[in-house]
Amino acid sequence: MQQDQLYIDLGLSENQYSKEVIAGQQVYTSSFLRVYDLIVLHIISRWLWRCPPQNMVDLYNKYLSGNHLDIGVGTGYLLQKAKFPVEKPSISVMDLNPNSLIESKRRLAGIAGQLNAYRANILEPIQTKEKFDSIGMSFLFHCVPGAIRKKASVAFQNLLKIRKPEGVIFGATGLHDLGQTHLLSRKGMKNLNRKGVFHNTEDTLPDLEAALKENFKDYELYVIGAIAFFAGKKAK
């Protein structure tokens, strides 16, 4: 089976900002994805960010719908562990990295009643045929270049166009200011930013809240360790 049969490429522009976004996700090779859950979720998140992965699963349990889109899907671990409100949900996954799309589709094949995959950039307009009742994006914003007030607001505006009016957009991200309060997270974020895996030196909790306020009348925001959890509900 050819790769173009495994996911739909929604197209990417050639501007420099998009090139930086693309470069930031190239670490997700097939070999790295085999150890992603252990290294990123069970070691780094638990010990550097002080946020065990069950906290992300709990967020998904709260907001998942039977018609869900997940962006920056990684391996699909969170969708595997979470409890959907229906037996055979419609699941769509979206990422810039084809390896993540292929791996997550493989893992989620037994869960989903319908399963779609899209390659797209959340900082550009997204054209999908369907609209979604829930959209999740965990550990995504801290990998996207730019200050969070701008990149989150642009992403929210793009995603609101493919979210159903009564749906929810939710996720979790590592914030630079939250990471400075603990030695391991401070060193970890500095190293990952230096390597170009993270782009969160301009990401703060007040700026994330400002982006939520600009786009939603009703939102939730809370912190566990160096990770901010958010959910945007009724749009402005």
Side-chain angles (χ1 to χ4, degrees), residues 50-68:
R50 310 181 311 287
C51 184
Q54 184 60 43
N55 293 295
M56 277 75 80
V57 176
D58 291 343
L59 179 73
Y60 275 67
N61 287 340
K62 184 175 182 178
Y63 287 116
L64 272 179
S65 72
N67 174 32
H68 179 74

Side-chain angles (χ1 to χ4, degrees), residues 99-113:
N99 298 319
S100 289
L101 294 174
I102 293 167
E103 175 63 14
S104 60
K105 278 194 72 176
R106 182 187 70 80
R107 290 197 182 193
L108 298 171
I111 298 174

Side-chain angles (χ1 to χ4, degrees), residues 16-29 32 36 72 95-97 100 119 121 139-146 192-200:
Q16 180 59 41
Y17 203 60
S18 290
K19 290 179 180 178
E20 292 176 4
V21 175
I22 293 169
Q25 52 77 51
Q26 290 178 342
V27 66
Y28 298 101
T29 62
F32 178 66
Y36 174 90
D95 207 291
L96 275 173
N97 191 297
S100 289
R119 184 170 185 254
N121 179 0
F139 284 16
L140 175 63
F141 282 146
H142 57 226
C143 294
V144 177
L192 289 168
N193 275 285
R194 185 173 64 247
K195 290 181 176 180
V197 178
F198 269 29
H199 297 275
N200 76 339

